[in-house]
Every structure is written in structure tokens, then in C-alpha cells.
Amino acid sequence: MPRKAKLIEIPAIAPLDRQAGSLSRQLSQALREAVRQGKLQAGDALPSTRALAAALYLSRGTVSVAYDQLIAEGVLTAQPGSGTRVAAIAAGTPPSPSPSGGPHGEPTLSERAQAFAALPAA
């Protein structure tokens, strides 16, 4: 008997407009907004790319591109075998203070990067 994809209901995602451009961009925007609005909380598990693609009638590649973009932005985290989750920092959890931050909170270079930056240009 053929398997049926389990449909996942994610109320945070409005229907995507297939005429309005990139579906992966629309999906990543919808997920980003759901995190910003608190509809998706830190640590919430998202469906697998296959399950979400089936639920939204999209290709798995479209969902993968959207997830990859949000992972690159730090909105989501992914662990092989553990799934994709909303990142703590993306959901409003303040990051832990960095001991190496500059006087105005800007990042500073590590000792190795400072040594590299001090090398004369070739």
C-alpha cells in the first residue's frame, strides 16, 4: 500500500502566492515573520522538508532552500537526525554577553585575526 505524506498544520504560514515570485523566498519570509511575531518559539521543532513540502504542495527543494536561508541567517538551527528548530537568539532570547566585545558592543578580532591583519600586504 503506498504511503501518504503526513500533513503538518503550521498556522503561522499563510498560503503562498504562486504568482508573486520565488516560493522559497515567500516561505522563508513567512517563517521569519512567524518567529518575529512569537508564533514560533525558541526550540520549536519544524516539520521535515518532506513533510512541509507535502503539506504546502511544494517541492522538497523549495522548502530546503528556505530552511537553508533561515539557517544561514541564524533564525533556525539544524542537527542531522534531530531536525530543524527555531534558534534561541532568533526568538528573542538575548545572546550571552561576549567577553571580547568592544566598548560599544561591536565584535572584536581574535588574537590570531589581529596578527593576520597586522601582516604587510603582498
Side-chain angles (χ1 to χ4, degrees):
M1 187 160 117
R3 294 167 130 193
K4 280 192 168 184
K6 182 179 177 184
L7 295 181
I8 306 295
E9 186 175 330
I10 299 183
I13 298 177
L16 303 177
D17 181 0
R18 294 181 183 274
Q19 305 300 317
S22 170
L23 292 172
S24 61
R25 189 173 309 135
Q26 289 180 54
L27 178 57
S28 61
Q29 182 62 31
L31 290 169
R32 191 180 300 108
E33 284 302 313
V35 171
R36 281 191 190 135
Q37 295 172 1
K39 293 177 182 176
L40 292 173
Q41 299 291 319
D44 283 353
L46 286 132
S48 69
T49 55
R50 287 179 191 192
L52 186 57
L56 298 176
Y57 302 102
L58 299 172
S59 74
R60 182 178 175 211
T62 298
V63 176
S64 292
V65 168
Y67 275 18
D68 289 345
Q69 176 62 38
L70 294 172
I71 290 167
E73 292 175 13
V75 175
L76 303 178
T77 61
Q79 294 294 325
S82 296
T84 305
R85 297 185 177 275
V86 177
I89 193 161
T93 304
S96 57
S98 172
S100 61
H104 301 288
E106 72 275 3
T108 58
L109 297 175
S110 67
E111 289 179 27
R112 183 172 181 186
Q114 289 175 7
F116 183 75
L119 292 174

